[in-house]
Amino acid sequence: MRRKKIYEGKAKILYEGPERNTLVQYFKDDATAFNNKKKAVIEGKGVLNNRISEFLLSQLNDIGIETHLIKRLNMREQLIKNCEILPIEFVVRNIAAGSLSTRLGIAEGTMLKRPIIEYYYKNDDLDDPLVTEEHIEVNGWASTLEIAQASETAFRINDFLIGLFRGVGIKLVDFKLEFGRVWNTDESRVILADEISPDTCRLWDTKDEKKLDKDRFRKGLGGLVEAYTEVAKRLGIMPEGSNIMEIKSGISKTIKLKKK
């Protein structure tokens, strides 16, 4: 049966869900960088992001941080709560890298005195500009309370993920979060949406600072699927020698992951 497509982004497609207020989120193999200026299709990336994000969001649900995740449906899809996405990216930074290093002249790898949060307006035509809380409020993108709630949740998520990744030999450099409104009659609350994966995090090996994230694509380093696979294996969700089922046009084929 043909499903109704609700939205298609750079890395995911949203379809109408089987029940009221649900959606099906499909992870694509498309890799993009620099606001879609650099593009490629990397087989297996969507499968890995689906699996990693499901694991991390499930962990957050278990500790009382509400997310849009209901359950993983298959190798590429999740059943999620339908929510109204705030047009803001919440970026939590622990170590200087990326645009922070470029903008402020801070050497990449410099540990920040404390975690900080930055807000970016989700608008590809404007290259997702950095904005302040005042910009968000006066433009009606989110209320003061929503910003405060989402920011507090972002720092809680950071505390949890730092420990989780440190336990498997990975530094959490920075990461992007998105939040959405869910409604209960006339009242709404903000919950974590989108994904948490190597596409949305900077992850470095603690021993040699090898990049295990989308910077491998941004910087042309290669080995993106291998790096994402390493993250999945360290998290214990993809044992050595396991397979990824690549689903395309309703036909499944197996991609045997290379062993390091």
Side-chain angles (χ1 to χ4, degrees):
M1 183 175 68
R2 188 174 181 82
R3 297 180 296 182
K4 180 181 179 182
K5 183 191 293 187
I6 304 299
Y7 171 80
E8 181 167 1
K10 297 169 190 163
K12 294 181 290 295
I13 303 173
L14 297 179
Y15 294 100
E16 188 174 56
E19 300 173 0
R20 186 171 178 270
N21 293 326
T22 67
L23 297 169
V24 173
Q25 180 169 253
Y26 175 92
F27 286 75
K28 303 192 294 184
D29 282 338
D30 297 43
T32 64
F34 313 116
N35 283 324
N36 223 23
K37 294 180 178 67
K38 182 176 182 179
K39 306 177 188 178
V41 175
I42 301 176
E43 287 190 330
K45 182 179 83 74
V47 172
L48 287 159
N49 282 342
N50 179 26
R51 193 71 182 84
I52 294 169
S53 188
E54 177 227 357
F55 173 78
L56 296 175
L57 267 62
S58 294
Q59 295 284 311
L60 294 174
N61 280 331
D62 288 345
I63 64 168
I65 295 176
E66 185 179 5
T67 81
H68 73 168
L69 177 70
I70 299 173
K71 64 180 179 179
R72 181 169 60 90
L73 297 174
N74 53 50
M75 297 299 286
R76 284 196 177 271
E77 296 180 329
Q78 298 174 358
L79 182 66
I80 62 172
K81 301 169 187 174
N82 188 11
C83 56
E84 180 186 345
I85 298 295
L86 304 180
I88 303 298
E89 294 179 349
F90 294 74
V91 176
V92 182
R93 298 184 183 275
N94 300 304
I95 299 170
S99 66
L100 181 66
S101 292
T102 303
R103 280 184 282 115
L104 302 183
I106 304 173
E108 182 172 277
T110 302
M111 181 69 69
L112 303 180
K113 290 183 179 179
R114 62 174 177 82
I116 64 170
I117 189 166
E118 295 180 333
Y119 309 103
Y120 293 82
Y121 176 43
K122 283 171 56 67
N123 187 310
D124 286 345
D125 292 337
L126 300 176
D127 287 335
D128 297 343
L130 179 68
V131 295
T132 65
E133 291 185 37
E134 288 81 4
H135 292 138
I136 297 170
E137 292 166 5
V138 299
N139 284 287
W141 298 327
S143 70
T144 303
L145 180 59
E146 287 172 332
I147 299 168
Q149 290 175 337
S151 299
E152 180 184 356
T153 300
F155 283 126
R156 286 183 63 200
I157 293 169
N158 186 49
D159 288 342
F160 177 77
L161 292 181
I162 283 176
L164 185 150
F165 281 119
R166 183 186 293 134
V168 295
I170 295 174
K171 290 183 183 179
L172 179 61
V173 177
D174 57 38
F175 61 102
K176 172 184 74 73
L177 298 173
E178 295 189 25
F179 291 86
R181 295 185 189 97
V182 290
W183 294 86
N184 182 12
T185 61
D186 293 332
E187 296 184 349
S188 68
R189 65 186 185 279
V190 292
I191 67 172
L192 181 65
D194 194 47
E195 67 178 294
I196 301 178
S197 74
D199 262 14
T200 62
C201 303
R202 280 193 174 89
L203 304 171
W204 295 353
D205 186 282
T206 54
K207 292 181 179 178
D208 58 12
E209 298 197 340
K210 176 183 176 181
K211 293 175 172 58
L212 301 172
D213 55 67
K214 199 168 77 167
D215 269 353
R216 302 203 67 83
F217 175 69
R218 292 187 188 99
K219 299 175 179 291
L221 301 175
L224 183 137
V225 166
E226 290 80 4
Y228 285 25
T229 300
E230 180 64 24
V231 173
K233 287 179 178 178
R234 292 196 193 186
L235 291 173
I237 56 179
M238 185 170 290
E240 185 72 27
S242 61
N243 294 334
I244 293 177
M245 296 304 296
E246 175 74 359
I247 302 173
K248 285 187 176 182
S249 304
I251 301 174
S252 297
K253 67 178 181 179
T254 301
I255 297 178
K256 185 70 176 178
L257 295 176
K258 296 179 180 178
K259 291 188 179 181
K260 290 187 69 176

